[in-house]
Every structure is written in structure tokens, then in C-alpha cells.
Amino acid sequence: MARKEKERFLERIKTLMPPEIKGKVRVTFTRHTVRLMDWDNMVSTAKFPLDAIKNNGVIENDSPEFIVEFIPKQLKCRRKDQRTEILIEPI
């Protein structure tokens, strides 16, 4: 991801941030996309958003001690409906 793209993404994510969630969480990472990816590639797309969520104080840490369950999903959709949804639930 290019630097300017990352900066825009961070600014956007800051406007959507919920209050901090303390303790252990379940993260469901859903990618709505035109083309499905191999699972190893799909899961790697979660790194930057999860780091941003951690760095902006939404979750305490992104280690397995805090994210005790990570559920990757990908759904096929039309190009205009592409998006990524990240659901964070306290456990």
C-alpha cells in the first residue's frame, strides 16, 4: 500500500473508531471482493488494518493473548460493493 493510501486509510479509520475495548477480543475480518483470494493472501491483508486499530487504541494489543479468536471471511460481490468490515467483540 502506498504511503498516501496508508495516510488516507488511517484518517478514515480514525473517524470510525469505537471506544477502546479492554481485554480479550474476537475479530471477524470480512473482505467483500470481486475476486476471491487464496486464504494465506487474504489473511495477510488484515495486518495493516489491525495494526491501525491497535495503534489508535481501539484494542490493547494485537497479539494472540488479546485477539484470542480471528475469523477471516471473504465474500464475492459486485465491484461497486467492495469493502472490508472488521467486527471486534469483547470475549
Side-chain angles (χ1 to χ4, degrees), residues 78-90:
R78 294 179 296 188
R79 183 169 303 281
K80 68 177 187 138
D81 296 326
Q82 291 185 107
R83 65 189 180 281
T84 299
E85 297 172 352
I86 304 170
L87 176 63
I88 303 169
E89 303 169 279

Side-chain angles (χ1 to χ4, degrees), residues 2-71:
R3 182 182 223 176
K4 287 186 180 185
E5 264 185 285
K6 286 181 181 179
E7 289 171 5
R8 281 194 303 267
F9 181 77
L10 277 175
E11 287 306 312
R12 175 79 174 128
I13 223 171
K14 285 178 184 179
T15 66
L16 302 171
M17 290 293 184
E20 183 176 345
I21 300 171
K22 295 280 188 188
K24 297 178 179 187
V25 297
R26 172 188 305 115
V27 175
T28 305
F29 186 84
T30 307
R31 190 171 181 273
H32 299 262
T33 183
V34 174
R35 185 174 305 146
L36 300 178
M37 302 174 83
D38 290 342
W39 283 109
D40 56 344
N41 293 328
M42 188 276 184
V43 170
S44 71
T45 66
K47 179 169 180 29
F48 184 72
L50 286 177
D51 285 348
I53 288 167
K54 177 193 74 171
N55 293 339
N56 284 282
V58 175
I59 58 177
E60 287 183 71
N61 198 310
D62 61 353
S63 72
E65 181 182 334
F66 291 90
I67 299 179
V68 295
E69 193 173 348
F70 179 77
I71 305 166

